[in-house]
Amino acid sequence: MLFIGLLRLIRLLVQSSIAQPSSIIAAILVILTGHYGATLTHGTNFIVEPMTKNESVAFDKAMVFADVIQPIFEQKCVSCHNPDKTKGGLLLTNQQAILKGGKTGKLFVAGNPEISLLLQRIHLPLEEKKHMPPVGKPQLNPLEIKLLSLWIKGNADFTKKVMDLPANDSLRLIATTFLAPAVEKEESYDFAAADEKTIQKLQTAYRTIAPLAQESPALSVSFFNKNNFASQKLAELSEIKSQIVALNLPKMPVSDADLNTIATFENLQKLDLNFTDITGKGLKILTSLKKLQRLSVSGTKVTFGDLQPMIKNFGSLTTLTLWETSVSVDEIKQLQKANPSIEFIAGFRDDGSNPIKLNPPQVKNHSMVFKDSVLVQLAHPINGVDIRYTTDNSPPDSIHSLLFTGQTTLQKSATIRAKTYKTGWLGSDEVVFDFFKNTYKPDSLRLLLPLNRVHQAAGANTFFDGILGTFN
């Protein structure tokens, strides 16, 4: 809008009898400065991006590649691999180009994500020159990486629909979280709006109350900060209980006793109890909520034995989310078969059937140059990963090499070769860390030749400041 407004300003200046060449030039400079400044901040396509985003796609029409995989390429990869900029000879804007690959070969090996170039480049350490996307570009999140891996594992099909995948297929389950919901018709409610003063009175820093839409009487309530939660805070909502249609309580210390209060919210349609203290036995009271459509109990103590006899009593339930509960895949299949009108969402479970390669370990030491001794600090972003290492220049393995425990101290220069391992995952690539002991620090320095005029760093002190340079 600013860009369009400035164009109109130029037109007025040109048409005006008092327009001066300097005024027109100044206006043009403002436009160029604003545009290129915004490009640096937001990216080269910041203006057209909102117009090129995919429209909402109904689940029954969504295609695995076109509506799930291709948007990942468009958001994270196409800025470097498009008809105007084919970095590495790779184009990612159409099926034919994707199958062709780039200068370094095919992008993937259908059915084998662990040896596919695409995933190898993604899993490289961020500081590696060949890591994709490059530093400074938006990086793929873990779910996007998993989607790419599962798509390649499934032979990288370009024509299959999401709904054609098996109900418990990991790709299908994760893809549902990436698909924008189809536009729903505006819902009407048969209850009056709550008093505005009452809503304002109940608003706190850790309990927000908001209408679902403009001029809608339906309210959504969310709680934050479990240390500030108390059963009384839930009971206080009785003044607006008829207007609450969505209640979000994830990670709050909600107990079975609190479900008695929630059961009085007669118009409740969506309830999030993820990672709370409730049990399956306590859920029975919620069957009285005849309008409850979506219930989330991930990370709770609910069991198959609790759900099986009770689930049919939720008359309007359409979705039940069960991530990280004791309910097994086979038990979910039983529930799904007995209750076909309800979608049971268990999420992705790492059962080792679709292994992907771990990232290499990272070094967290501020400097790998030390004076007397140094405590080696290696880490990995995934919990439960074993870091195996050697200091004798032999390649590390998962059995014989030393297990890193955070207690390794070096007294002299050493080269550490390390890899990460975890059950159900492929071991990472090897990474090498060089630690240098530096005993001497001169009182004065003098360079015999001048430094490169571009790469001055800290001058002569660069050689003794204890900080290693990089190849970047």
Side-chain angles (χ1 to χ4, degrees):
M1 293 304 293
L2 175 62
F3 188 84
I4 295 171
L6 287 171
L7 286 175
R8 290 174 178 169
L9 174 61
I10 289 178
R11 186 190 302 168
L12 291 173
L13 286 171
V14 172
Q15 293 173 348
S16 172
S17 59
I18 62 172
Q20 298 292 327
S22 59
S23 301
I24 298 174
I25 293 172
I28 293 172
L29 288 175
V30 169
I31 290 176
L32 293 176
T33 304
H35 174 70
Y36 288 111
T39 296
L40 288 172
T41 305
H42 304 295
T44 55
N45 64 334
F46 77 102
I47 290 178
V48 299
E49 183 179 17
M51 295 180 280
T52 58
K53 286 187 177 179
N54 290 342
E55 296 293 331
S56 297
V57 180
F59 178 78
D60 61 342
K61 297 180 179 179
M63 306 297 293
V64 174
F65 177 75
D67 299 309
V68 179
I69 302 301
Q70 183 66 12
I72 298 176
F73 287 152
E74 291 175 352
Q75 294 169 21
K76 304 295 175 70
C77 309
V78 166
S79 63
C80 291
H81 303 285
N82 58 74
D84 296 325
K85 182 183 180 182
T86 52
K87 188 174 181 180
L90 178 62
L91 186 63
L92 293 176
T93 55
N94 60 72
Q95 177 181 342
Q96 184 179 1
I98 291 171
L99 289 172
K100 180 181 178 182
K103 292 179 180 178
T104 53
K106 297 288 187 181
L107 188 62
F108 55 80
V109 179
N112 291 283
E114 61 273 8
I115 61 173
S116 293
L117 181 63
L118 172 64
L119 290 167
Q120 289 177 356
R121 293 293 178 87
I122 290 172
H123 285 294
L124 285 173
L126 188 61
E127 60 272 13
E128 284 281 343
K129 185 178 179 180
K130 293 184 178 180
H131 171 84
M132 293 297 162
V135 176
K137 296 285 186 179
Q139 299 297 306
L140 281 80
N141 62 49
L143 280 182
E144 290 172 332
I145 295 172
K146 188 62 182 176
L147 278 171
L148 293 176
S149 176
L150 291 171
W151 177 64
I152 295 172
K153 181 79 173 179
N155 291 320
D157 195 297
F158 285 84
T159 60
K160 186 172 289 186
K161 286 186 176 182
V162 175
M163 68 177 298
D164 291 339
L165 299 171
N168 289 312
D169 183 84
S170 297
L171 177 56
R172 173 173 172 161
L173 292 171
I174 302 177
T176 56
T177 67
F178 280 71
L179 292 172
V183 178
E184 299 177 356
K185 64 179 182 179
E186 185 175 348
E187 188 168 356
S188 59
Y189 300 95
D190 58 2
F191 50 82
D195 179 67
E196 188 63 32
K197 291 183 178 179
T198 301
I199 294 176
Q200 292 302 320
K201 179 186 70 174
L202 293 172
Q203 290 273 20
T204 70
Y206 306 108
R207 181 179 60 198
T208 62
I209 304 171
L212 282 189
Q214 188 175 4
E215 299 182 358
S216 172
L219 299 176
S220 175
V221 180
S222 298
F223 282 78
F224 306 93
N225 194 330
K226 64 181 182 180
N227 294 325
N228 285 275
F229 178 85
S231 298
Q232 179 188 355
K233 302 290 185 182
L234 201 56
E236 289 172 354
L237 296 173
S238 61
E239 295 184 69
I240 57 171
K241 64 180 183 180
S242 296
Q243 288 79 25
I244 298 175
V245 299
L247 182 60
N248 301 299
L249 292 159
K251 299 183 179 180
M252 296 296 110
V254 177
S255 65
D256 285 347
D258 295 317
L259 298 181
N260 291 298
T261 300
I262 295 174
T264 65
F265 301 166
E266 67 267 23
N267 291 312
L268 194 62
Q269 297 178 2
K270 176 181 177 294
L271 177 59
D272 185 344
L273 295 170
N274 290 338
F275 299 96
T276 59
D277 298 329
I278 62 100
T279 67
K281 292 180 174 60
L283 286 178
K284 187 175 182 180
I285 188 67
L286 298 182
T287 57
S288 63
L289 294 172
K290 301 306 179 184
K291 298 183 179 181
L292 187 63
Q293 299 172 9
R294 290 177 288 173
L295 177 61
S296 298
V297 291
S298 300
T300 64
K301 298 176 182 177
V302 299
T303 66
F304 174 72
D306 296 325
L307 293 174
Q308 188 180 33
M310 174 206 319
I311 199 71
K312 62 180 180 295
N313 296 324
F314 284 96
S316 300
L317 198 65
T318 60
T319 306
L320 180 60
T321 306
L322 295 164
W323 292 63
E324 296 189 35
T325 64
S326 65
V327 186
S328 69
V329 173
D330 289 337
E331 290 170 340
I332 288 176
K333 289 180 180 178
Q334 292 182 48
L335 292 172
Q336 187 71 74
K337 185 176 181 180
N339 304 275
S341 63
I342 301 175
E343 181 183 7
F344 295 87
I345 302 176
F348 170 71
R349 300 193 177 193
D350 183 12
D351 58 3
S353 60
N354 296 298
I356 59 176
K357 183 180 290 187
L358 288 166
N359 291 335
Q362 303 167 355
V363 63
K364 294 298 184 180
N365 290 80
H366 175 69
S367 173
M368 288 186 285
V369 179
F370 60 97
K371 184 178 180 181
D372 299 315
S373 64
V374 63
L375 179 66
V376 177
Q377 300 175 40
L378 302 182
H380 197 275
I382 298 177
N383 293 330
V385 165
D386 287 341
I387 300 177
R388 297 278 182 169
Y389 72 100
T390 64
T391 57
D392 60 0
N393 209 34
S394 62
D397 60 45
S398 61
I399 300 175
H400 304 99
S401 299
L402 296 171
L403 176 64
F404 182 77
T405 62
Q407 306 299 315
T408 304
T409 300
L410 299 178
Q411 307 287 345
K412 59 182 180 180
S413 297
T415 295
I416 291 181
R417 299 173 64 175
K419 295 180 69 173
T420 51
Y421 299 93
K422 185 179 181 181
T423 302
W425 297 66
L426 298 175
S428 73
D429 292 329
E430 180 184 303
V431 65
V432 178
F433 302 117
D434 291 311
F435 286 82
F436 300 98
K437 185 172 183 177
N438 181 17
T439 307
Y440 306 101
K441 189 166 185 178
D443 295 326
S444 60
L445 302 169
R446 182 171 64 88
L447 293 174
L448 298 180
L449 297 171
L451 292 170
N452 183 291
R453 64 184 181 84
V454 176
H455 305 291
Q456 293 286 318
N461 288 323
T462 302
F463 297 101
F464 296 94
D465 62 4
I467 300 175
L468 295 180
T470 70
F471 289 104
N472 296 328

